[in-house]
Amino acid sequence: MSDYDEDTAFLGQTGPFFWTTFFLLNTVFVSTGFNGLYMVFIGATPNHHCLIPDFNLTEEWTNAIIPFTLVNGEEVKSQCSRYSLDVVRNMSAEGLIPGRDVNLTDLVQEGCLDGWNYSKDIYQSNIVTEWDLVCDDQWKVPFASSTLFVGYLFGSLISGHVSDRFGRKKVVFISLVAQSVAVMLQSFSHSWQMFCVMFLFVGASQISLYISAFVLGTEVLSKTMRILFTTLGAFLFYCIGYMTLPWIAYGIREWRTLLAVLSSTAVVYIPLWWFIPESPRWLITQGRVEEAEAIVREAARKNKIEAPAVIFKEYDVSAQFKKYTMLDILKSKKIRSITLMCLILWMAINIGYFGLSLNTSNLSGNPFMNCFLSATTEVPAYVVSTVLLKKCPRRALLSSFLVIGGGVLLLIQFIPEDLQYVALALEMTGKFGFTMAFSIVYIYTAEVYPTVLRNVGMGMCSSAARIGSITAPYVIYLGSYNKALPYILMGSLTIASSVVNLFLPETLNRDLPETVEQMQECQGLCNGLKKRKYLEDEGRKNLPIQRDVRQDLQAPLVPESPRWLLSRGRVEEAEAEAILIGAAKSNNVEPPKAIFTQAEIDYAMSRKDKKYNFSVIVSSCNMFSITVLCSMLWIVVTIGYYSLVLNTSNLNGDPFLNCFLSGLVEVPAYIIALLLLQ
């Protein structure tokens, strides 16, 4: 609302009312942290093998009835097959010894017709062990995880309309109750199908709770508190719930009891109904100005401030709020382009974030500790992103951490099996990068869209994020075929999205656009560079020319760099200028009377003794971001190039010819690159 901040400015930026509302609303986000990601534990697949009925088999045949299979280059007992029980029973009765009297590879294999035996070293029971979601039915686990994110999709689409109709506060507490009831009913699921249906309602109520509480906080809190709430508070308290989840799961290893306990935690939020106010902004849009004024007067009383006699003037609600839809985004080419890039960004970030979050149970080591570490890495990410967002360009910042997150995922596959802690550290670094990107993209997207389309644009991006999160469980499922596949897919997609991000407009230190006309044009880094070069050339036209040409100078066969000479202040002896004049004469070109302006010479002389080292790169946020991006690009390109070069001897055919062909394909590559760079 255009005049709301001005009308309530007397409340100040901080005070007991704002701080109380800030912390009470943030406690709501704790429940969203552990209600949903519990699938990491209740959907984990423990070690298992075929159940062998008690048929009085000899000890040798009992140990040998499960065949060995090759998984990721290592021989392990098969989890989905056994040697034919009838054949083994007959051989055991005849006293034959497996491996000595019988060649096991010649025996017929069959599936686990009698079920499975599951290890209870970590989990007493979960949905995998209860409904045998392994082998041919293992696809049901990622499907169940996806139903949560399908619920996110539906919830994000309807929550905005519902909260606009019934109010922010009511939707927050209705969503809390719905989430608790859905989780409780899920704990009583008698089938996998019922579990999935209830998980959809868990997702819908959870995202509705998150969005409604987020909007309520931004509308009730002051400008200063609002920034803290949106950049740190909501994300950090969500992370606290996420960090709490593995410890609750560690103490409760039975999945039905775990869900019942998580559901019952909603009871502690009941008293908050009497302490969290409705949004005065929303009340005004509904014409309920007296109720809004009562809330603001109560806030003034708590802040010990005298409220004016009249707080709000008459509002023309119909004139102030024009309804915008997705069709308005499709009408404008520049908004379509920006929206498409934002959708790609949100989708890629959510695939990476939820992919790594759901993958913690598949990592080496204790799954509870892995989940806790995964959550812990988010804390510094949220804090660092809050600090960097105040000073650093959004575009460079987001691309930097996308490259970090995607780059380390691509490197994981090269870590040897015996260095699992290094792989774990890299995965946590990737999670840090994705979390940073996750928190930055929320703010960045809100700053890109104009006020009249911000809600619609954020809703579309949130829907794209849900599509990404729905895909995430299936990306992790690829690991059952090859451990490296999820990392390659997530890493490649993230690197690609970091390039897309470079074409979005920069928003740092710029006023939020209010109308479609004020929305910035799409631009890449090259556009900005061209504009700066033009300005520099324009400025140079007005600078005085004072130096004379030395016609007798000749360019040496291998000259020194004039740029470097100028940067070292070596212009008094005309070294740099002499090289350029000699080059002009060699090319039969008439040089100008003065190549360098007096201003450029004075500037070079002033920096003659200045020393540059690594600290200069670190001290500049923009330069540091560019250096990180360039470093990651060089690392990834170098790994790919030399890996293919060194792999020629492992290819089929003549290794000498393979090496020659490998070198030969570089010739057209360099020619094409040269043409494209023109």
Side-chain angles (χ1 to χ4, degrees):
M1 187 158 301
S2 58
D3 294 326
Y4 179 85
D5 289 329
E6 181 181 338
D7 293 340
T8 59
F10 67 90
L11 290 174
Q13 293 298 307
T14 58
F17 172 79
F18 291 128
W19 280 112
T20 301
T21 306
F22 175 84
F23 282 109
L24 292 181
L25 274 176
N26 276 323
T27 58
V28 172
F29 295 113
V30 175
S31 69
T32 64
F34 53 68
N35 277 318
L37 286 176
Y38 52 69
M39 191 65 182
V40 170
F41 302 109
I42 70 171
T45 303
N47 291 328
H48 57 279
H49 59 77
C50 292
L51 176 66
I52 308 301
D54 186 10
F55 282 133
N56 295 321
L57 298 178
T58 63
E59 183 178 352
E60 291 85 357
W61 279 108
T62 301
N63 295 330
I65 194 171
I66 305 297
F68 281 85
T69 184
L70 198 63
V71 178
N72 294 318
E74 182 180 353
E75 275 200 345
V76 296
K77 283 192 173 183
S78 174
Q79 296 183 327
C80 299
S81 62
R82 68 187 183 189
Y83 293 119
S84 174
L85 187 59
D86 292 335
V87 174
V88 169
R89 184 169 52 184
N90 292 334
M91 291 185 175
S92 176
E94 293 174 7
L96 300 177
I97 305 298
R100 189 189 70 182
D101 303 324
V102 179
N103 186 357
L104 294 176
T105 58
D106 296 334
L107 296 183
V108 177
Q109 296 186 18
E110 63 184 10
C112 299
L113 305 179
D114 299 296
W116 286 263
N117 264 332
Y118 297 95
S119 169
K120 294 189 176 182
D121 293 341
I122 300 176
Y123 308 104
Q124 290 300 309
S125 71
N126 61 18
I127 64 170
V128 174
T129 62
E130 180 143 345
W131 295 312
D132 290 331
L133 305 184
V134 293
C135 300
D136 292 341
D137 287 334
Q138 63 180 334
W139 62 270
K140 293 182 178 180
V141 177
F143 184 90
S145 298
S146 292
T147 57
L148 172 74
F149 301 117
V150 172
Y152 279 5
L153 176 60
F154 287 122
S156 61
L157 290 174
I158 66 173
S159 62
H161 300 289
V162 174
S163 63
D164 285 343
R165 174 68 179 84
F166 298 102
R168 319 311 195 201
K169 178 180 176 179
K170 287 181 181 177
V171 174
V172 166
F173 284 92
I174 290 174
S175 299
L176 261 173
V177 173
Q179 177 184 254
S180 177
V181 172
V183 175
M184 181 62 74
L185 290 176
Q186 196 178 29
S187 70
F188 290 101
S189 297
H190 56 75
S191 66
W192 169 77
Q193 290 83 354
M194 179 181 175
F195 179 91
C196 291
V197 171
M198 297 317 303
F199 217 13
L200 187 145
F201 285 104
V202 172
S205 57
Q206 184 182 113
I207 197 66
S208 178
L209 169 62
Y210 191 95
I211 292 175
S212 301
F214 195 88
V215 172
L216 180 58
T218 56
E219 293 182 348
V220 172
L221 298 173
S222 64
K223 184 177 181 180
T224 301
M225 297 293 292
R226 190 185 313 147
I227 294 172
L228 184 63
F229 177 80
T230 55
T231 58
L232 184 61
F235 293 118
L236 191 59
F237 278 78
Y238 161 83
C239 188
I240 291 173
Y242 185 10
M243 292 168 63
T244 306
L245 172 64
W247 300 113
I248 299 175
Y250 179 79
I252 305 173
R253 307 294 182 94
E254 202 279 322
W255 74 277
R256 294 183 185 274
T257 307
L258 174 63
L259 295 191
V261 170
L262 294 177
S263 170
S264 62
T265 57
V267 176
V268 301
Y269 295 110
I270 295 177
L272 300 187
W273 174 265
W274 290 274
F275 296 96
I276 295 177
E278 181 55 274
S279 166
R281 295 173 187 260
W282 177 80
L283 289 171
I284 292 172
T285 65
Q286 303 301 305
R288 297 158 62 177
V289 180
E290 291 183 359
E291 294 179 56
E293 189 166 301
I295 292 173
V296 175
R297 290 190 183 280
E298 178 64 17
R301 185 187 67 80
K302 291 181 178 179
N303 285 351
K304 298 180 180 179
I305 295 173
E306 186 68 28
V310 178
I311 298 176
F312 301 115
K313 64 182 181 181
E314 293 296 326
Y315 281 84
D316 185 359
V317 177
S318 61
Q320 284 187 346
F321 292 92
K322 177 186 174 182
K323 300 295 183 182
Y324 285 83
T325 66
M326 284 184 279
L327 293 178
D328 294 285
I329 287 180
L330 299 177
K331 290 177 183 177
S332 170
K333 179 181 178 182
K334 63 181 179 182
I335 300 180
R336 282 200 307 268
S337 301
I338 289 177
T339 300
L340 178 62
M341 289 186 283
C342 288
L343 295 180
I344 294 172
L345 272 175
W346 280 66
M347 195 180 301
I349 291 171
N350 273 263
I351 288 176
Y353 176 83
F354 284 105
L356 291 180
S357 297
L358 295 172
N359 192 49
T360 52
S361 60
N362 298 325
L363 301 176
S364 300
N366 189 299
F368 304 101
M369 181 57 69
N370 291 340
C371 183
F372 175 74
L373 291 175
S374 180
T376 303
T377 56
E378 296 192 13
V379 177
Y382 292 134
V383 175
V384 172
S385 64
T386 302
V387 175
L388 293 180
L389 279 169
K390 294 179 180 179
K391 296 182 179 181
C392 294
R394 276 71 166 124
R395 186 169 55 191
L397 196 62
L398 182 55
S399 288
S400 297
F401 286 103
L402 283 173
V403 171
I404 291 174
V408 296
L409 292 187
L410 292 175
L411 292 175
I412 286 178
Q413 58 187 307
F414 299 105
I415 304 301
E417 288 289 333
D418 56 341
L419 295 177
Q420 292 296 332
Y421 288 107
V422 177
L424 180 61
L426 283 177
E427 176 142 345
M428 294 305 141
T429 304
K431 183 66 181 298
F432 176 86
F434 278 108
T435 304
M436 288 284 295
F438 198 83
S439 58
I440 293 168
V441 77
Y442 266 91
I443 307 302
Y444 191 14
T445 307
E447 292 175 343
V448 166
Y449 281 103
T451 300
V452 294
L453 285 175
R454 190 168 295 123
N455 193 44
V456 177
M458 290 291 287
M460 291 184 66
C461 291
S462 181
S463 299
R466 304 291 76 84
I467 295 173
S469 54
I470 290 169
T471 309
Y474 293 100
V475 174
I476 299 305
Y477 178 60
L478 292 175
S480 61
Y481 298 99
N482 188 299
K483 283 187 176 181
L485 280 179
Y487 298 112
I488 293 173
L489 184 58
M490 289 189 291
S492 302
L493 186 60
T494 307
I495 296 293
S497 67
S498 71
V499 176
V500 171
N501 175 63
L502 296 177
F503 294 92
L504 284 172
E506 184 52 68
T507 61
L508 178 66
N509 295 330
R510 297 186 182 180
D511 294 332
L512 290 178
E514 297 292 337
T515 64
V516 174
E517 291 73 21
Q518 295 173 359
M519 193 174 183
Q520 300 178 63
E521 291 282 357
C522 270
Q523 60 181 20
L525 292 177
C526 53
N527 300 61
L529 289 172
K530 287 180 181 178
K531 186 175 181 180
R532 286 195 294 273
K533 188 177 188 304
Y534 169 77
L535 292 174
E536 289 170 1
D537 292 342
E538 287 293 313
R540 176 173 290 192
K541 290 178 182 179
N542 300 322
L543 291 174
I545 300 175
Q546 301 176 3
R547 293 177 63 87
D548 295 324
V549 125
R550 300 177 182 177
Q551 298 291 340
D552 57 338
L553 294 173
Q554 296 291 331
L557 289 177
V558 181
E560 183 55 88
S561 165
R563 294 175 183 267
W564 178 79
L565 291 169
L566 192 63
S567 71
R568 307 306 297 173
R570 293 167 63 174
V571 289
E572 289 181 341
E573 305 86 353
E575 290 185 65
E577 189 171 280
I579 292 172
L580 294 175
I581 292 173
K585 293 184 67 177
S586 299
N587 290 339
N588 295 322
V589 176
E590 184 66 27
K593 288 186 177 181
I595 295 176
F596 301 115
T597 65
Q598 188 61 44
E600 289 173 328
I601 295 170
D602 293 340
Y603 179 75
M605 293 300 297
S606 68
R607 302 178 68 84
K608 181 177 181 180
D609 299 322
K610 185 173 179 61
K611 303 295 184 183
Y612 290 92
N613 52 41
F614 183 74
S615 61
V616 177
I617 292 178
V618 178
S619 62
S620 169
C621 179
N622 192 37
M623 193 177 300
F624 179 71
S625 299
I626 292 174
T627 303
V628 171
L629 282 169
C630 291
S631 299
M632 295 303 298
L633 280 173
W634 278 75
I635 290 173
V636 172
V637 172
T638 304
I639 288 175
Y641 176 83
Y642 284 105
S643 296
L644 292 177
V645 169
L646 297 173
N647 192 50
T648 53
S649 61
N650 299 323
L651 301 176
N652 294 327
D654 188 282
F656 303 102
L657 180 59
N658 291 340
C659 184
F660 172 74
L661 292 174
S662 179
L664 186 63
V665 295
E666 295 191 17
V667 177
Y670 291 131
I671 295 174
I672 293 172
L674 179 63
L675 294 174
L676 293 176
L677 286 171
Q678 298 300 320

